[in-house]
């Protein structure tokens, strides 16, 4: 079962690492686009889990 602690423990550091990689990659690169979409999907997934739990 996914808990809020697990979301914070694994989700937030992963998103911080993603933000650092997005800063390092060129904006027009395919890797930057894929990583940005994956980060957005991750944030939406966390929001959906939290939102549906109430």
């Amino acid at each position: 079962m996914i808990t809020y602690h697990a979301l914070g423990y694994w989700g937030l550091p992963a998103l911080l690492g993603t933000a650092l990689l997005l800063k390092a990659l060129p904006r027009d690169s395919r890797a930057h686009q894929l990583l940005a979409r994956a980060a957005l999907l991750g944030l939406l997934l966390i929001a959906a889990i939290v939102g549906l739990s109430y």
Side-chain angles (χ1 to χ4, degrees), residues 5-50:
H5 178 73
L7 287 174
Y9 188 77
W10 294 107
L12 293 179
L15 289 173
L16 289 175
T18 301
L20 291 174
L21 278 173
L22 285 173
K23 288 284 234 184
L25 290 171
R27 187 174 285 265
D28 294 334
S29 70
R30 181 78 174 139
H32 185 278
Q33 293 172 357
L34 289 173
L35 194 58
R37 287 181 185 160
L40 181 60
L41 182 64
L43 285 173
L44 288 172
L45 182 64
I46 290 172
I49 291 170
V50 172

